[in-house]
């Protein structure tokens, strides 16, 4: 059968709309979470992070929400622009191992002008 | 300040050939990482170096070796390349304070095709 990994979740929005990208993380002991943006042919780029002692953090046009009860992380992008089109990954860190991140599958965001 | 740089950008190998992927960072970071990314997938950790002089296995270390040459440089070696190692390889660094909860910064990637 096909690998689940070949069919990334996709989100299509119109320019100016707000976007919400969701991520279910795997380990209830995870204490640090990061959202990365990856444009075609480039490396992942840091967007925003959040520690487990917080449930919300805001940046410029982006907000990350953390719901530890259901192990859910979301990235909200306000007034989405065509330049926001990319694959978005969440990553979690848990345990004592320094900086070992576990990445989610990714979501493809397409912004239509 | 170039951040994280990787060479080469693209490489084609035949099965059984060896090569070394180079990575350097100029941010005075303590920790460095090698990941691979297969089509439609997230990144998987191959090896990491928490600080100069130390290296540890990640999630998918088989078929790879690493060297932390100095604080700036962390190389990944494929001794005998296999088609299953066709992937995009990313180097990342984190620091400079060495605290556990700090984000990683990624290089542009090396695209490797093994025939």
């Amino acid at each position: 059968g096909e690998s689940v990994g070949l069919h990334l979740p996709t989100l299509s929005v119109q320019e100016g709309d707000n976007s919400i990208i969701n991520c279910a993380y795997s380990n209830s002991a995870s204490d640090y979470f990061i959202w990365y943006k990856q444009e075609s042919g480039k490396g992942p780029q840091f967007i925003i992070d959040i520690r487990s002692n917080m449930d919300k953090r805001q940046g410029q046009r982006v907000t990350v929400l953390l719901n530890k009860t259901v192990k859910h992380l979301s990235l909200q992008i306000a007034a989405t622009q065509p330049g926001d089109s990319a694959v978005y990954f969440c990553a979690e860190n848990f345990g004592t191992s320094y900086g070992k991140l576990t990445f989610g599958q990714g979501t493809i965001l397409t912004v239509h002008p | 300040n170039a951040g994280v740089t990787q060479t080469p950008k693209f490489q084609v190998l035949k099965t059984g050939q060896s090569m070394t992927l180079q990575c350097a960072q100029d941010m005075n970071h303590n920790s460095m990482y090698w990941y691979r990314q297969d089509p439609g997938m997230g990144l998987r950790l191959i090896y990491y170096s928490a600080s100069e002089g130390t290296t540890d296995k990640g999630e998918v270390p088989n078929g790879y070796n690493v060297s932390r040459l100095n604080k700036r440089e962390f190389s990944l070696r494929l001794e005998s390349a296999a088609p299953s190692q066709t992937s995009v390889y990313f180097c990342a660094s984190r620091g400079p304070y060495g605290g556990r909860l700090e984000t990683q910064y990624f290089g542009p990637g090396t695209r490797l095709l093994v025939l």
Side-chain angles (χ1 to χ4, degrees):
Chain A
E2 293 181 318
S3 167
V4 171
L6 294 176
H7 297 284
L8 294 181
T10 60
L11 176 64
S12 292
V13 300
Q14 291 295 126
E15 182 177 2
D17 287 352
N18 296 332
S19 301
I20 299 176
I21 300 171
N22 297 303
C23 176
Y25 63 91
S26 61
N27 195 312
S28 57
S30 293
D31 55 5
Y32 180 55
F33 305 88
I34 309 171
W35 279 101
Y36 284 96
K37 172 187 179 183
Q38 186 176 26
E39 297 174 284
S40 180
K42 297 184 178 180
Q45 177 186 2
F46 170 83
I47 302 174
I48 192 168
D49 59 359
I50 188 167
R51 301 193 180 193
S52 60
N53 60 354
M54 304 172 67
D55 53 20
K56 180 179 180 180
R57 190 170 188 212
Q58 289 184 292
Q60 188 175 21
R61 279 202 310 119
V62 294
T63 300
V64 55
L65 298 177
L66 175 63
N67 185 331
K68 296 182 287 293
T69 302
V70 294
K71 295 191 291 185
H72 184 266
L73 195 66
S74 68
L75 176 71
Q76 301 177 359
I77 305 174
T80 315
Q81 303 167 0
D84 294 327
S85 294
V87 179
Y88 289 81
F89 293 97
C90 65
E92 61 184 297
N93 175 272
F94 61 89
T96 57
S97 298
Y98 272 62
K100 289 176 70 174
L101 296 175
T102 299
F103 282 80
Q105 187 181 26
T107 296
I108 301 171
L109 174 65
T110 303
V111 183
H112 301 284
Chain B
N1 188 335
V4 180
T5 57
Q6 293 182 236
T7 56
K9 293 183 179 180
F10 182 71
Q11 184 72 46
V12 179
L13 292 178
K14 294 181 180 178
T15 297
Q17 287 185 316
S18 62
M19 79 162 295
T20 300
L21 283 65
Q22 306 286 353
C23 174
Q25 53 88 12
D26 61 2
M27 296 176 283
N28 198 35
H29 285 177
N30 287 318
S31 303
M32 298 184 74
Y33 307 81
W34 276 105
Y35 292 88
R36 62 177 287 172
Q37 184 177 36
D38 299 311
M41 303 285 286
L43 284 77
R44 292 184 292 170
L45 182 65
I46 305 172
Y47 269 93
Y48 70 103
S49 171
S51 61
E52 187 178 357
T54 67
T55 61
D56 286 285
K57 294 178 180 180
E59 180 185 354
V60 288
N62 291 344
Y64 306 95
N65 284 299
V66 290
S67 295
R68 183 73 182 268
L69 304 171
N70 47 56
K71 191 171 185 179
R72 290 187 64 249
E73 299 172 288
F74 188 38
S75 63
L76 178 72
R77 183 160 178 83
L78 286 70
E79 290 291 351
S80 179
S84 61
Q85 294 179 304
T86 293
S87 190
V88 181
Y89 291 85
F90 289 100
C91 177
S93 70
R94 184 178 67 88
Y97 305 110
R100 189 167 65 84
L101 300 184
E102 295 181 54
T103 194
Q104 296 179 24
Y105 294 90
F106 287 81
T110 293
R111 283 149 185 79
L112 176 65
L113 174 61
V114 183
L115 301 175

mmCIF file of all heavy atoms in Angstrom, chain B residues 93-110:
data_model
loop_
_atom_site.group_PDB
_atom_site.id
_atom_site.type_symbol
_atom_site.label_atom_id
_atom_site.label_comp_id
_atom_site.label_asym_id
_atom_site.label_seq_id
_atom_site.Cartn_x
_atom_site.Cartn_y
_atom_site.Cartn_z
ATOM 1 N N SER B 93 21.937 23.610 13.423
ATOM 2 C CA SER B 93 22.714 23.912 14.620
ATOM 3 C C SER B 93 21.813 24.589 15.650
ATOM 4 O O SER B 93 20.755 25.134 15.306
ATOM 5 C CB SER B 93 23.915 24.802 14.293
ATOM 6 O OG SER B 93 23.500 26.114 13.948
ATOM 7 N N ARG B 94 22.241 24.550 16.885
ATOM 8 C CA ARG B 94 21.425 25.078 18.004
ATOM 9 C C ARG B 94 22.349 25.629 19.061
ATOM 10 O O ARG B 94 23.396 25.074 19.341
ATOM 11 C CB ARG B 94 20.589 23.948 18.571
ATOM 12 C CG ARG B 94 19.635 24.342 19.668
ATOM 13 C CD ARG B 94 18.835 23.111 20.103
ATOM 14 N NE ARG B 94 19.699 22.144 20.751
ATOM 15 C CZ ARG B 94 19.976 22.129 22.049
ATOM 16 N NH1 ARG B 94 19.454 23.044 22.850
ATOM 17 N NH2 ARG B 94 20.755 21.211 22.569
ATOM 18 N N GLY B 95 21.964 26.705 19.656
ATOM 19 C CA GLY B 95 22.783 27.298 20.711
ATOM 20 C C GLY B 95 22.658 28.803 20.687
ATOM 21 O O GLY B 95 21.682 29.332 20.146
ATOM 22 N N PRO B 96 23.556 29.554 21.218
ATOM 23 C CA PRO B 96 24.888 29.148 21.625
ATOM 24 C C PRO B 96 25.037 28.722 23.071
ATOM 25 O O PRO B 96 26.108 28.307 23.490
ATOM 26 C CB PRO B 96 25.689 30.440 21.412
ATOM 27 C CG PRO B 96 24.717 31.511 21.757
ATOM 28 C CD PRO B 96 23.374 31.014 21.277
ATOM 29 N N TYR B 97 23.937 28.809 23.803
ATOM 30 C CA TYR B 97 24.099 28.615 25.242
ATOM 31 C C TYR B 97 24.050 27.149 25.649
ATOM 32 O O TYR B 97 24.353 26.813 26.780
ATOM 33 C CB TYR B 97 23.026 29.424 25.975
ATOM 34 C CG TYR B 97 23.068 30.873 25.583
ATOM 35 C CD1 TYR B 97 22.056 31.442 24.814
ATOM 36 C CD2 TYR B 97 24.151 31.677 25.950
ATOM 37 C CE1 TYR B 97 22.118 32.760 24.440
ATOM 38 C CE2 TYR B 97 24.210 33.000 25.572
ATOM 39 C CZ TYR B 97 23.188 33.541 24.821
ATOM 40 O OH TYR B 97 23.249 34.845 24.445
ATOM 41 N N GLY B 98 23.611 26.297 24.743
ATOM 42 C CA GLY B 98 23.590 24.876 25.059
ATOM 43 C C GLY B 98 22.399 24.448 25.876
ATOM 44 O O GLY B 98 22.301 23.306 26.286
ATOM 45 N N GLY B 99 21.495 25.372 26.117
ATOM 46 C CA GLY B 99 20.303 25.010 26.856
ATOM 47 C C GLY B 99 19.431 24.067 26.059
ATOM 48 O O GLY B 99 19.415 24.082 24.842
ATOM 49 N N ARG B 100 18.711 23.243 26.736
ATOM 50 C CA ARG B 100 17.971 22.193 26.041
ATOM 51 C C ARG B 100 16.843 22.752 25.199
ATOM 52 O O ARG B 100 16.551 22.261 24.126
ATOM 53 C CB ARG B 100 17.427 21.192 27.059
ATOM 54 C CG ARG B 100 16.843 19.954 26.428
ATOM 55 C CD ARG B 100 16.632 18.878 27.499
ATOM 56 N NE ARG B 100 15.635 19.278 28.468
ATOM 57 C CZ ARG B 100 14.339 19.110 28.281
ATOM 58 N NH1 ARG B 100 13.885 18.600 27.173
ATOM 59 N NH2 ARG B 100 13.484 19.481 29.213
ATOM 60 N N LEU B 101 16.229 23.799 25.673
ATOM 61 C CA LEU B 101 15.056 24.317 24.975
ATOM 62 C C LEU B 101 15.422 25.519 24.119
ATOM 63 O O LEU B 101 15.067 26.646 24.409
ATOM 64 C CB LEU B 101 13.971 24.669 25.989
ATOM 65 C CG LEU B 101 13.486 23.497 26.840
ATOM 66 C CD1 LEU B 101 12.351 23.925 27.741
ATOM 67 C CD2 LEU B 101 13.063 22.311 25.986
ATOM 68 N N GLU B 102 16.138 25.251 23.076
ATOM 69 C CA GLU B 102 16.459 26.285 22.116
ATOM 70 C C GLU B 102 16.224 25.739 20.719
ATOM 71 O O GLU B 102 16.425 24.565 20.464
ATOM 72 C CB GLU B 102 17.919 26.727 22.249
ATOM 73 C CG GLU B 102 18.228 27.397 23.582
ATOM 74 C CD GLU B 102 19.657 27.823 23.661
ATOM 75 O OE1 GLU B 102 20.110 28.541 22.762
ATOM 76 O OE2 GLU B 102 20.338 27.428 24.625
ATOM 77 N N THR B 103 15.836 26.618 19.832
ATOM 78 C CA THR B 103 15.455 26.136 18.514
ATOM 79 C C THR B 103 16.668 25.808 17.657
ATOM 80 O O THR B 103 17.789 26.218 17.947
ATOM 81 C CB THR B 103 14.578 27.175 17.804
ATOM 82 O OG1 THR B 103 13.966 26.560 16.680
ATOM 83 C CG2 THR B 103 15.401 28.376 17.349
ATOM 84 N N GLN B 104 16.432 25.051 16.616
ATOM 85 C CA GLN B 104 17.464 24.694 15.659
ATOM 86 C C GLN B 104 17.314 25.529 14.391
ATOM 87 O O GLN B 104 16.205 25.846 13.983
ATOM 88 C CB GLN B 104 17.372 23.206 15.307
ATOM 89 C CG GLN B 104 17.644 22.300 16.493
ATOM 90 C CD GLN B 104 17.528 20.844 16.150
ATOM 91 O OE1 GLN B 104 17.678 20.443 15.004
ATOM 92 N NE2 GLN B 104 17.269 20.036 17.163
ATOM 93 N N TYR B 105 18.460 25.826 13.785
ATOM 94 C CA TYR B 105 18.485 26.582 12.537
ATOM 95 C C TYR B 105 19.091 25.694 11.456
ATOM 96 O O TYR B 105 20.133 25.067 11.674
ATOM 97 C CB TYR B 105 19.280 27.880 12.715
ATOM 98 C CG TYR B 105 18.599 28.815 13.674
ATOM 99 C CD1 TYR B 105 18.882 28.773 15.033
ATOM 100 C CD2 TYR B 105 17.641 29.717 13.232
ATOM 101 C CE1 TYR B 105 18.229 29.598 15.923
ATOM 102 C CE2 TYR B 105 16.984 30.561 14.110
ATOM 103 C CZ TYR B 105 17.284 30.498 15.460
ATOM 104 O OH TYR B 105 16.631 31.313 16.346
ATOM 105 N N PHE B 106 18.435 25.671 10.306
ATOM 106 C CA PHE B 106 18.770 24.705 9.273
ATOM 107 C C PHE B 106 19.539 25.316 8.107
ATOM 108 O O PHE B 106 19.353 26.484 7.763
ATOM 109 C CB PHE B 106 17.486 24.063 8.724
ATOM 110 C CG PHE B 106 16.871 23.094 9.670
ATOM 111 C CD1 PHE B 106 16.075 23.523 10.714
ATOM 112 C CD2 PHE B 106 17.107 21.729 9.525
ATOM 113 C CE1 PHE B 106 15.509 22.617 11.599
ATOM 114 C CE2 PHE B 106 16.548 20.817 10.402
ATOM 115 C CZ PHE B 106 15.746 21.259 11.445
ATOM 116 N N GLY B 107 20.365 24.467 7.494
ATOM 117 C CA GLY B 107 21.022 24.831 6.252
ATOM 118 C C GLY B 107 20.104 24.594 5.068
ATOM 119 O O GLY B 107 18.972 24.120 5.234
ATOM 120 N N PRO B 108 20.578 24.884 3.842
ATOM 121 C CA PRO B 108 19.737 24.790 2.646
ATOM 122 C C PRO B 108 19.543 23.374 2.124
ATOM 123 O O PRO B 108 18.697 23.144 1.265
ATOM 124 C CB PRO B 108 20.494 25.640 1.631
ATOM 125 C CG PRO B 108 21.918 25.531 2.068
ATOM 126 C CD PRO B 108 21.887 25.462 3.568
ATOM 127 N N GLY B 109 20.322 22.420 2.610
ATOM 128 C CA GLY B 109 20.129 21.036 2.195
ATOM 129 C C GLY B 109 21.085 20.570 1.112
ATOM 130 O O GLY B 109 21.603 21.362 0.327
ATOM 131 N N THR B 110 21.330 19.267 1.095
ATOM 132 C CA THR B 110 22.079 18.591 0.032
ATOM 133 C C THR B 110 21.167 17.530 -0.542
ATOM 134 O O THR B 110 20.679 16.665 0.185
ATOM 135 C CB THR B 110 23.358 17.922 0.562
ATOM 136 O OG1 THR B 110 24.273 18.914 1.000
ATOM 137 C CG2 THR B 110 24.010 17.069 -0.518
#
